[in-house]
Amino acid sequence: MNKSMKILVTGKDGQLAQELQKRIPAGIELIALDRNDLDITSAGQVMQTMTHYKPDAIINAAAYTAVDKAESEKEQAYAVNATGPENLAKACREMGIRLIHISTDFVFDGQSSTPYQPQDAVRPLGVYGESKAAGEAAVQSILPQAVILRTAWVYSAHGANFTNTMLRLMSERDELSIVADQIGSPTSTQTLAETIYTIISKTETSGIYHCTDAGTASWYDFAVAIYEEAKALGLLEEEKNIKIRPISTADYPTPAARPAYSVLDKSRLIVDLNLESQHWRRVLRRVLQEKTGS
Ligand SMILES: NC(=O)c1ccc[n+]([C@@H]2O[C@H](COP(=O)([O-])OP(=O)(O)OC[C@H]3O[C@@H](n4cnc5c(N)ncnc54)[C@H](OP(=O)(O)O)[C@@H]3O)[C@@H](O)[C@H]2O)c1
């Protein structure tokens, strides 16, 4: 990168936006805005903010991510996940700004038995997935040169996510029952942030990309790995033994249906951007190490 780039990220306090703020590469000025600074559901505010900052690119890390709550809050989910990206895409088109929009494996129904390709037809199972699919469609039709980066099973050292929930429950309980018939790829925000900054540096990149850590797991596998790695790192007491039982989705009903198979094909990222992903378990160890402060 020769000259400094001004990048604006939405959803400042979210897991991904926080990681982006921690890993700013040389040559990038990052402006992170929370919902009070920039509510992406307001077309007027979006346009005003873009006119004020005139960024080279926007990373849309803001989203309505409460998958179950979305079933009863359809309007709010669509406002943030569909109207929000539409507003950003329109402002980007008008002002010649690049847009990197983050999306999800939940746009698929999980009926496949092989990894989903970026061009596969979307068929969401619930309101969250539908609203994210609507956001993707709006971005693609308004700004075809935008990048849509789909990811899955996101976690980080901080924030509300499966890893931190497991660590809390493991310190409180002796037994846990975890769903073993949903398969996906746990993905660290570290991986996502590095990928996004690579995309920023390659200004010709456009279209849909899939980005997750390598390998697959069930939530049960993921929980067992969190337990083993946390014990090895001293994040859980040595003498505490927890029984982790595999259960089926039917044993753990939730308001929103989840895709049974959420694995995303990452070939396009590897071919176009030369980005090889690391196995999720190795990345998990690194993220948990971060929690130990070492
Ligand atoms: N988490 C996952 O497992 C997962 C999986 C696949 C894809 N993704 C995608 O990855 C992206 C980042 O997810 P994340 O886990 O970092 O999400 P997150 O932690 O839930 O953060 C989302 C952020 O967006 C903000 N936000 C909500 N409505 C807004 C609005 N109207 N204007 C501006 N900001 C608003 C939220 O603020 P408030 O706290 O004030 O609401 C929050 O800080 C999202 O596009 C998500 O769909 C996530």
Side-chain angles (χ1 to χ4, degrees):
M1 238 170 281
N2 296 327
K3 89 175 192 20
S4 168
M5 271 190 190
K6 197 194 273 186
I7 310 295
L8 193 148
V9 60
T10 62
K12 180 184 179 179
D13 299 325
Q15 307 191 73
L16 175 57
Q18 296 237 356
E19 195 75 49
L20 286 163
Q21 291 165 78
K22 270 199 269 174
R23 293 175 181 269
I24 307 169
I28 291 218
E29 180 197 345
L30 193 76
I31 300 151
L33 302 179
D34 67 17
R35 188 207 289 262
N36 296 322
D37 304 319
L38 171 62
D39 178 347
I40 62 167
T41 66
S42 158
Q45 246 190 63
V46 166
M47 204 55 216
Q48 238 174 21
T49 308
M50 297 315 138
T51 312
H52 176 73
Y53 288 106
K54 298 186 179 58
D56 297 294
I58 297 171
I59 304 165
N60 182 29
Y64 179 108
T65 54
V67 173
D68 288 318
K69 228 164 125 192
E71 294 298 310
S72 53
E73 291 189 354
K74 189 169 178 173
E75 214 173 297
Q76 289 97 313
Y78 266 80
V80 185
N81 293 343
T83 309
E86 181 183 335
N87 291 339
L88 292 170
K90 282 181 178 160
C92 285
R93 183 181 60 188
E94 198 155 320
M95 297 189 60
I97 299 168
R98 269 187 96 199
L99 176 62
I100 292 111
H101 172 64
I102 315 302
S103 195
T104 171
D105 56 319
F106 273 56
V107 297
F108 297 119
D109 65 6
Q111 294 303 303
S112 179
S113 50
T114 53
Y116 284 98
Q117 309 280 333
Q119 70 277 12
D120 283 346
V122 300
R123 206 178 82 83
L125 297 176
V127 171
Y128 167 72
E130 282 167 16
S131 65
K132 292 292 290 185
E136 286 187 0
V139 168
Q140 279 185 297
S141 73
I142 297 162
L143 197 72
Q145 66 272 36
V147 173
I148 293 174
L149 189 70
R150 291 193 190 122
T151 186
W153 293 34
V154 177
Y155 70 98
S156 69
H158 310 285
N161 55 57
F162 184 78
T163 306
N164 286 332
T165 303
M166 283 300 114
L167 289 173
R168 178 175 52 77
L169 292 175
M170 284 168 188
S171 68
E172 291 168 3
R173 299 190 193 170
D174 299 321
E175 200 174 312
L176 291 174
S177 298
I178 309 293
V179 171
D181 57 358
Q182 288 169 27
I183 308 296
S185 304
T187 303
S188 148
T189 50
Q190 295 180 359
T191 306
L192 283 170
E194 278 163 19
T195 302
I196 290 167
Y197 282 129
T198 303
I199 289 171
I200 294 278
S201 71
K202 307 217 181 209
T203 49
E204 297 306 306
T205 316
S206 69
I208 303 177
Y209 282 86
H210 286 171
C211 173
T212 65
D213 284 324
T216 62
S218 68
W219 291 110
Y220 166 75
D221 296 325
F222 192 18
V224 170
I226 293 165
Y227 177 57
E228 291 176 359
E229 298 293 347
K231 269 213 140 176
L233 288 166
L235 288 168
L236 291 169
E237 287 169 22
E238 183 62 38
E239 57 276 11
K240 183 127 204 246
N241 287 310
I242 296 149
K243 193 165 180 219
I244 306 176
R245 284 195 313 124
I247 57 166
S248 70
T249 300
D251 294 328
Y252 188 74
T254 51
R258 264 80 176 158
Y261 181 84
S262 252
V263 182
L264 302 179
D265 185 292
K266 296 171 282 293
S267 324
R268 197 166 173 230
L269 211 56
I270 298 167
V271 173
D272 288 7
L273 300 180
N274 203 18
L275 280 173
E276 285 283 0
S277 46
Q278 286 184 45
H279 193 269
W280 66 265
R281 178 131 189 180
R282 195 190 303 167
V283 180
L284 171 66
R285 196 169 305 145
R286 209 169 61 211
V287 173
L288 292 180
Q289 257 157 8
E290 192 184 323
K291 288 183 81 74
T292 67
S294 66

Coordinates of all heavy atoms in Angstrom, one line a residue, residues 180-233:
A180 N -24.8 -31.9 18.6 CA -23.8 -32.6 17.8 C -24.1 -32.9 16.4 O -23.3 -33.5 15.6 CB -23.4 -33.9 18.6
D181 N -25.3 -32.5 16.0 CA -25.7 -32.8 14.6 C -25.8 -31.5 13.7 O -26.5 -31.5 12.7 CB -27.0 -33.6 14.5 CG -28.2 -32.9 15.2 OD1 -28.0 -31.8 15.8 OD2 -29.3 -33.5 15.3
Q182 N -25.2 -30.4 14.1 CA -25.0 -29.3 13.2 C -23.5 -29.1 13.0 O -22.7 -29.1 14.0 CB -25.5 -28.0 13.9 CG -27.0 -27.9 14.0 CD -27.5 -26.8 14.9 OE1 -26.8 -25.8 15.1 NE2 -28.7 -27.0 15.5
I183 N -23.1 -29.0 11.7 CA -21.7 -29.0 11.4 C -21.4 -27.7 10.7 O -22.1 -27.2 9.8 CB -21.4 -30.2 10.3 CG1 -21.9 -31.5 10.8 CG2 -19.9 -30.2 10.0 CD1 -21.3 -32.0 12.1
G184 N -20.2 -27.1 11.1 CA -19.8 -25.9 10.5 C -18.3 -25.7 10.8 O -17.6 -26.7 11.1
S185 N -17.8 -24.5 10.6 CA -16.4 -24.2 10.8 C -16.2 -23.0 11.7 O -16.5 -21.9 11.4 CB -15.7 -23.8 9.4 OG -16.0 -24.8 8.5
P186 N -15.8 -23.3 13.0 CA -15.5 -22.2 13.9 C -14.5 -21.2 13.3 O -13.5 -21.6 12.7 CB -14.9 -22.9 15.1 CG -15.4 -24.3 15.0 CD -15.5 -24.6 13.6
T187 N -14.8 -19.9 13.4 CA -14.0 -18.9 12.7 C -13.7 -17.8 13.7 O -14.6 -17.1 14.2 CB -14.8 -18.4 11.5 OG1 -15.1 -19.5 10.7 CG2 -14.0 -17.4 10.7
S188 N -12.4 -17.5 13.8 CA -12.0 -16.4 14.7 C -12.1 -15.1 14.0 O -11.8 -15.0 12.8 CB -10.5 -16.7 15.1 OG -9.8 -15.6 15.3
T189 N -12.4 -14.1 14.8 CA -12.4 -12.7 14.2 C -10.9 -12.3 13.8 O -10.8 -11.4 12.9 CB -12.9 -11.7 15.2 OG1 -12.2 -11.8 16.5 CG2 -14.4 -11.8 15.5
Q190 N -9.9 -13.0 14.3 CA -8.5 -12.7 13.9 C -8.4 -13.0 12.4 O -7.9 -12.2 11.6 CB -7.5 -13.6 14.7 CG -7.5 -13.3 16.2 CD -6.5 -14.1 16.9 OE1 -5.8 -15.0 16.3 NE2 -6.4 -13.9 18.2
T191 N -8.9 -14.2 12.0 CA -8.8 -14.6 10.6 C -9.6 -13.6 9.8 O -9.1 -13.2 8.7 CB -9.5 -16.0 10.5 OG1 -8.8 -16.9 11.4 CG2 -9.4 -16.5 9.1
L192 N -10.8 -13.3 10.2 CA -11.7 -12.4 9.4 C -11.0 -11.0 9.2 O -11.0 -10.5 8.1 CB -13.0 -12.2 10.1 CG -14.0 -13.4 10.0 CD1 -15.2 -13.2 10.9 CD2 -14.4 -13.5 8.5
A193 N -10.4 -10.5 10.3 CA -9.8 -9.2 10.2 C -8.7 -9.2 9.2 O -8.5 -8.3 8.4 CB -9.4 -8.7 11.6
E194 N -7.8 -10.2 9.3 CA -6.7 -10.3 8.4 C -7.2 -10.4 7.0 O -6.6 -9.8 6.1 CB -5.8 -11.5 8.8 CG -4.9 -11.2 9.9 CD -4.3 -12.5 10.6 OE1 -4.4 -13.5 10.0 OE2 -3.8 -12.4 11.7
T195 N -8.2 -11.2 6.8 CA -8.7 -11.4 5.4 C -9.3 -10.1 4.9 O -9.1 -9.7 3.7 CB -9.8 -12.5 5.4 OG1 -9.3 -13.7 5.9 CG2 -10.4 -12.7 4.0
I196 N -10.0 -9.4 5.7 CA -10.6 -8.1 5.3 C -9.6 -7.1 4.9 O -9.7 -6.4 3.9 CB -11.6 -7.6 6.4 CG1 -12.8 -8.5 6.5 CG2 -12.0 -6.1 6.1 CD1 -13.7 -8.2 7.7
Y197 N -8.5 -7.0 5.7 CA -7.4 -6.1 5.4 C -6.7 -6.5 4.1 O -6.2 -5.6 3.4 CB -6.5 -5.9 6.6 CG -7.0 -5.0 7.7 CD1 -7.1 -5.4 9.0 CD2 -7.6 -3.8 7.4 CE1 -7.6 -4.6 10.0 CE2 -8.1 -2.9 8.3 CZ -8.1 -3.4 9.7 OH -8.7 -2.5 10.6
T198 N -6.6 -7.8 3.8 CA -6.0 -8.2 2.5 C -6.9 -7.7 1.4 O -6.5 -7.2 0.4 CB -5.8 -9.7 2.5 OG1 -5.0 -10.1 3.6 CG2 -5.2 -10.2 1.2
I199 N -8.3 -7.9 1.6 CA -9.2 -7.5 0.5 C -9.1 -5.9 0.3 O -9.1 -5.5 -0.8 CB -10.6 -7.9 0.9 CG1 -10.8 -9.4 0.8 CG2 -11.7 -7.2 0.1 CD1 -12.1 -10.0 1.4
I200 N -8.9 -5.2 1.4 CA -8.8 -3.7 1.3 C -7.6 -3.4 0.5 O -7.6 -2.5 -0.4 CB -8.6 -3.1 2.7 CG1 -9.9 -3.3 3.6 CG2 -8.2 -1.7 2.7 CD1 -11.0 -2.3 3.3
S201 N -6.5 -4.2 0.7 CA -5.2 -3.9 0.0 C -5.3 -4.2 -1.5 O -4.5 -3.7 -2.3 CB -4.0 -4.5 0.7 OG -4.1 -5.9 0.4
K202 N -6.2 -5.2 -1.8 CA -6.3 -5.6 -3.3 C -7.6 -4.9 -3.8 O -8.7 -5.5 -3.8 CB -6.4 -7.1 -3.3 CG -5.2 -7.8 -2.6 CD -4.7 -9.0 -3.3 CE -3.6 -9.5 -2.4 NZ -2.6 -10.3 -3.1
T203 N -7.4 -3.8 -4.3 CA -8.5 -2.9 -4.7 C -9.4 -3.4 -5.8 O -10.5 -2.9 -6.0 CB -8.0 -1.5 -5.0 OG1 -7.0 -1.6 -6.0 CG2 -7.5 -0.7 -3.8
E204 N -8.9 -4.4 -6.6 CA -9.7 -4.9 -7.7 C -10.7 -6.0 -7.3 O -11.5 -6.5 -8.0 CB -8.8 -5.5 -8.8 CG -7.8 -4.5 -9.4 CD -8.6 -3.3 -10.0 OE1 -9.5 -3.5 -10.7 OE2 -8.3 -2.1 -9.6
T205 N -10.6 -6.5 -6.0 CA -11.4 -7.6 -5.5 C -12.9 -7.2 -5.5 O -13.2 -6.1 -5.0 CB -11.0 -8.0 -4.1 OG1 -9.5 -8.0 -4.1 CG2 -11.5 -9.4 -3.7
S206 N -13.7 -8.1 -6.0 CA -15.2 -7.8 -5.9 C -15.9 -9.1 -6.0 O -15.4 -10.2 -6.3 CB -15.6 -6.9 -7.1 OG -15.5 -7.6 -8.3
G207 N -17.2 -9.1 -5.6 CA -18.1 -10.2 -5.6 C -18.1 -11.0 -4.3 O -17.7 -10.5 -3.3
I208 N -18.7 -12.2 -4.3 CA -18.9 -12.9 -3.1 C -17.7 -13.8 -2.8 O -17.3 -14.6 -3.6 CB -20.2 -13.8 -3.2 CG1 -21.4 -12.9 -3.5 CG2 -20.4 -14.6 -1.9 CD1 -22.7 -13.7 -3.7
Y209 N -17.3 -13.8 -1.5 CA -16.2 -14.6 -1.0 C -16.7 -15.3 0.2 O -17.5 -14.8 1.0 CB -14.9 -13.8 -0.7 CG -14.2 -13.4 -1.9 CD1 -14.5 -12.3 -2.7 CD2 -13.1 -14.2 -2.4 CE1 -13.8 -11.9 -3.8 CE2 -12.4 -13.9 -3.6 CZ -12.8 -12.7 -4.2 OH -12.1 -12.4 -5.4
H210 N -16.2 -16.5 0.4 CA -16.4 -17.3 1.7 C -15.2 -17.3 2.5 O -14.1 -17.6 2.0 CB -16.9 -18.7 1.4 CG -18.3 -18.8 0.8 ND1 -18.8 -19.9 0.3 CD2 -19.3 -17.8 0.8 CE1 -20.1 -19.7 0.0 NE2 -20.3 -18.4 0.2
C211 N -15.3 -17.0 3.8 CA -14.1 -17.0 4.7 C -14.4 -17.6 6.0 O -15.3 -17.1 6.8 CB -13.6 -15.6 4.9 SG -12.3 -15.5 6.1
T212 N -13.8 -18.8 6.3 CA -13.9 -19.4 7.6 C -12.5 -20.0 7.9 O -11.7 -20.1 7.0 CB -14.9 -20.5 7.7 OG1 -14.5 -21.6 6.8 CG2 -16.3 -20.1 7.3
D213 N -12.3 -20.4 9.2 CA -11.1 -21.1 9.4 C -11.3 -22.5 8.8 O -12.4 -22.9 8.5 CB -10.9 -21.2 11.0 CG -10.3 -19.9 11.5 OD1 -9.5 -19.3 10.8 OD2 -10.7 -19.5 12.6
A214 N -10.2 -23.3 8.7 CA -10.2 -24.5 7.9 C -10.8 -25.7 8.9 O -10.7 -25.6 10.1 CB -8.8 -24.9 7.5
G215 N -11.3 -26.7 8.2 CA -11.8 -27.9 9.0 C -13.2 -27.7 9.4 O -13.8 -26.6 9.2
T216 N -13.8 -28.7 9.9 CA -15.2 -28.7 10.3 C -15.4 -29.3 11.7 O -14.5 -30.0 12.2 CB -16.1 -29.5 9.3 OG1 -15.7 -30.9 9.4 CG2 -16.0 -29.0 7.9
A217 N -16.5 -29.0 12.3 CA -16.8 -29.5 13.7 C -18.3 -29.4 13.9 O -19.0 -28.6 13.2 CB -16.0 -28.6 14.7
S218 N -18.7 -30.2 14.9 CA -20.1 -29.9 15.4 C -19.9 -29.0 16.6 O -18.8 -28.8 17.1 CB -20.7 -31.2 15.8 OG -20.0 -31.7 17.0
W219 N -21.0 -28.4 17.1 CA -20.9 -27.6 18.3 C -20.4 -28.4 19.4 O -19.6 -27.9 20.3 CB -22.3 -27.0 18.6 CG -22.8 -26.0 17.7 CD1 -23.9 -26.2 16.8 CD2 -22.3 -24.7 17.4 NE1 -24.0 -25.0 16.0 CE2 -23.1 -24.1 16.4 CE3 -21.2 -24.0 18.0 CZ2 -22.8 -22.8 15.9 CZ3 -21.0 -22.7 17.5 CH2 -21.8 -22.1 16.5
Y220 N -20.7 -29.7 19.5 CA -20.2 -30.6 20.5 C -18.7 -30.7 20.4 O -18.0 -30.6 21.4 CB -20.9 -32.0 20.3 CG -20.2 -33.1 21.1 CD1 -20.4 -33.2 22.5 CD2 -19.4 -34.0 20.5 CE1 -19.7 -34.2 23.2 CE2 -18.8 -35.0 21.2 CZ -18.9 -35.1 22.6 OH -18.3 -36.1 23.3
D221 N -18.2 -30.9 19.2 CA -16.7 -31.0 18.9 C -16.0 -29.7 19.4 O -15.0 -29.7 20.0 CB -16.4 -31.2 17.4 CG -16.9 -32.5 16.9 OD1 -16.9 -33.5 17.6 OD2 -17.3 -32.5 15.7
F222 N -16.7 -28.6 19.0 CA -16.1 -27.3 19.3 C -16.1 -27.1 20.9 O -15.0 -26.7 21.4 CB -17.0 -26.2 18.7 CG -16.5 -24.8 18.7 CD1 -15.1 -24.5 18.9 CD2 -17.3 -23.7 18.4 CE1 -14.6 -23.2 18.9 CE2 -16.9 -22.4 18.4 CZ -15.5 -22.2 18.6
A223 N -17.1 -27.5 21.6 CA -17.2 -27.4 23.0 C -16.1 -28.3 23.7 O -15.4 -27.8 24.6 CB -18.6 -27.8 23.5
V224 N -15.9 -29.5 23.2 CA -14.9 -30.4 23.7 C -13.5 -29.8 23.5 O -12.7 -29.8 24.5 CB -15.0 -31.8 23.1 CG1 -13.8 -32.7 23.5 CG2 -16.3 -32.5 23.5
A225 N -13.3 -29.2 22.4 CA -12.0 -28.6 22.1 C -11.8 -27.4 23.0 O -10.7 -27.2 23.5 CB -11.9 -28.2 20.6
I226 N -12.8 -26.6 23.2 CA -12.7 -25.4 24.1 C -12.3 -25.9 25.5 O -11.4 -25.3 26.1 CB -14.0 -24.6 24.1 CG1 -14.3 -23.9 22.8 CG2 -14.0 -23.5 25.2 CD1 -15.7 -23.4 22.6
Y227 N -12.9 -26.9 25.9 CA -12.7 -27.5 27.3 C -11.2 -28.0 27.4 O -10.5 -27.6 28.3 CB -13.6 -28.7 27.5 CG -13.5 -29.4 28.8 CD1 -13.5 -28.7 30.0 CD2 -13.2 -30.8 28.8 CE1 -13.4 -29.4 31.2 CE2 -13.1 -31.4 30.1 CZ -13.1 -30.7 31.2 OH -13.0 -31.4 32.4
E228 N -10.8 -28.8 26.4 CA -9.4 -29.3 26.5 C -8.4 -28.2 26.4 O -7.4 -28.2 27.1 CB -9.2 -30.3 25.3 CG -10.0 -31.6 25.5 CD -9.9 -32.6 24.4 OE1 -9.2 -32.3 23.4 OE2 -10.6 -33.6 24.5
E229 N -8.6 -27.3 25.4 CA -7.6 -26.2 25.3 C -7.6 -25.3 26.5 O -6.5 -24.8 26.9 CB -7.9 -25.4 24.0 CG -7.8 -26.2 22.7 CD -6.4 -26.7 22.3 OE1 -5.4 -26.2 22.9 OE2 -6.3 -27.5 21.4
A230 N -8.8 -25.0 27.0 CA -8.8 -24.1 28.2 C -8.2 -24.7 29.4 O -7.5 -24.0 30.1 CB -10.3 -23.7 28.5
K231 N -8.3 -26.0 29.5 CA -7.7 -26.7 30.7 C -6.2 -26.6 30.5 O -5.4 -26.3 31.5 CB -8.2 -28.1 30.7 CG -9.4 -28.3 31.6 CD -9.4 -29.6 32.3 CE -9.9 -29.5 33.7 NZ -10.0 -30.7 34.4
A232 N -5.7 -26.9 29.3 CA -4.3 -27.0 29.0 C -3.7 -25.6 29.3 O -2.5 -25.5 29.7 CB -4.0 -27.4 27.6
L233 N -4.4 -24.5 29.1 CA -3.9 -23.2 29.2 C -4.1 -22.6 30.6 O -3.8 -21.5 30.9 CB -4.5 -22.2 28.2 CG -4.1 -22.4 26.7 CD1 -5.0 -21.7 25.8 CD2 -2.7 -21.9 26.5

